[in-house]
Amino acid sequence: MDLALLRTFVTVHRAGSFTRAAALLGLSQPAVTSQIRTLERQLGRPLFLRQARGVTPTSIGDELAHKAAPHLDALVEIAESGLEEDSSLRTLHLAGPPEFTAERALPVLTELTGEDGRSIALRASFGTAEEALEGLAAGHHDLAICTARPRGALLTATALCDEEHVLVAAPRWAERIGSGGLRRTGPSALERVPVVEVHESLPFVARYWASVFDSRPVAPGTVVVPDLRAVLACAAAGAGLAVLPRYLCGDALGRGDVVALHEPTVPPLRTYFLVVRTGTLAMPHIARAHERLERAAADWS
């Protein structure tokens, strides 16, 4: 059986779409369709059911993928290991949210750019979880860090770490509210405090209010800036309250630039996932980056 046909088949099985598989393989969609039909003729059984959106594997297709995929991934690993010995530089394409990627992931991964004989070039893209996953699925990225777990067989996600969210403001706002304000009146004590956020929909504040206060925030965003580091700077300058990851505002809390307005018994958490296209961990430069991030994340939570 032609290994090229099996490779195309496994890619379609993981992608759930001839169109997406064609993009990942660098082939035209008709070429992918032709290869799958050839394989189906050789086996004498249909491997996929064509649907309006993508394809669904038949039971025979699932069985073949289960048997063939591990061996194809092993062959890729052998081939990539050989390439790595002959090439001094491979490029790793990473996508993720700007703050987490800049503050946590990139300092860890830049260590890989200087390893003797095993160096990589690093390219980073910032964006939303949806943008990162779409780019990863399309083959534009090798790794994606996001707060959404993807569905389907094309992408494989590993829980990386949890981040704790903290309600903060400049000290003068805490003084106005008073030490017992939140304990006595709950979130109503915050209704007149301006809000600093990354989007008009108040994603961080709304999530905190729902989790901690079982309510919705009343005050609209007074300052909206699309970067949590800018949110922190504005909050420290006295622009209003903000909800920030503890890893990002921990130093500012220690210096007293901002103070925690509330310390709930169970703080809100958000999970980050490290996502790859299924099978690509057979590539050594992706595997090393994945392993390095997992090891570093053990100290992040």
Side-chain angles (χ1 to χ4, degrees), residues 14 35-36 45 64 77 108 111 133 135 148 150 226 284:
R14 287 170 170 169
Q35 289 188 22
I36 295 300
R45 305 288 292 274
L64 179 60
E77 184 173 6
V108 172
E111 298 172 5
L133 292 177

Side-chain angles (χ1 to χ4, degrees), residues 28-269:
S28 67
Q29 182 175 335
V32 170
T33 302
S34 175
Q35 289 188 22
I36 295 300
R37 286 175 176 169
T38 298
L39 186 58
E40 288 177 328
R41 284 197 300 270
Q42 290 179 2
L43 296 172
R45 305 288 292 274
L47 297 172
F48 296 103
L49 300 176
R50 280 67 169 176
Q51 298 179 333
R53 291 188 176 184
V55 294
T56 300
T58 62
S59 58
I60 296 298
D62 272 333
E63 182 180 356
L64 179 60
H66 178 73
K67 291 180 178 179
H71 300 290
L72 287 171
D73 291 342
L75 288 173
V76 170
E77 184 173 6
I78 293 170
E80 289 291 330
S81 297
L83 286 173
E84 192 126 311
E85 293 174 0
D86 298 333
S87 175
S88 61
L89 196 66
R90 302 299 301 275
T91 300
L92 179 79
H93 295 269
L94 172 72
E99 307 87 0
F100 188 92
T101 305
E103 298 291 328
R104 289 196 150 173
L106 288 177
V108 172
L109 292 179
T110 51
E111 298 172 5
L112 295 174
T113 63
E115 294 182 354
D116 294 340
R118 295 168 63 82
S119 298
I120 65 170
L122 184 59
R123 302 290 183 269
S125 301
F126 297 151
T128 64
E130 182 179 4
E131 291 167 343
L133 292 177
E134 286 182 354
L136 181 64
H140 302 315
H141 314 309
D142 300 310
L143 287 172
I145 298 172
C146 61
T147 56
R149 183 187 287 275
R151 297 179 178 178
L154 178 61
L155 304 179
T156 300
T158 302
L160 191 60
C161 65
D162 292 329
E163 67 174 18
E164 176 188 344
H165 287 178
V166 188
L167 176 62
V168 303
R172 67 182 182 90
W173 284 110
E175 292 170 4
R176 289 189 186 185
I177 295 168
S179 59
L182 277 176
R183 287 195 297 272
R184 289 193 307 269
T185 64
S188 60
L190 304 172
E191 289 180 1
R192 294 188 179 183
V193 183
V195 173
V196 187
E197 257 284 12
V198 294
H199 191 270
E200 297 287 353
S201 63
L202 310 184
F204 284 83
V205 171
R207 188 182 301 115
Y208 189 97
W209 254 243
S211 175
V212 175
F213 302 128
D214 194 24
S215 65
R216 300 174 63 181
V218 175
T222 300
V223 178
V224 177
V225 286
D227 190 296
L228 288 173
R229 292 162 293 192
V231 170
L232 174 59
C234 293
L241 65 81
V243 173
L244 293 166
R246 187 173 288 278
Y247 80 85
L248 192 62
C249 64
D251 289 344
L253 285 167
R255 293 190 304 265
D257 298 341
V258 294
V259 297
L261 297 179
H262 188 46
E263 294 284 359
T265 303
V266 181
L269 299 176

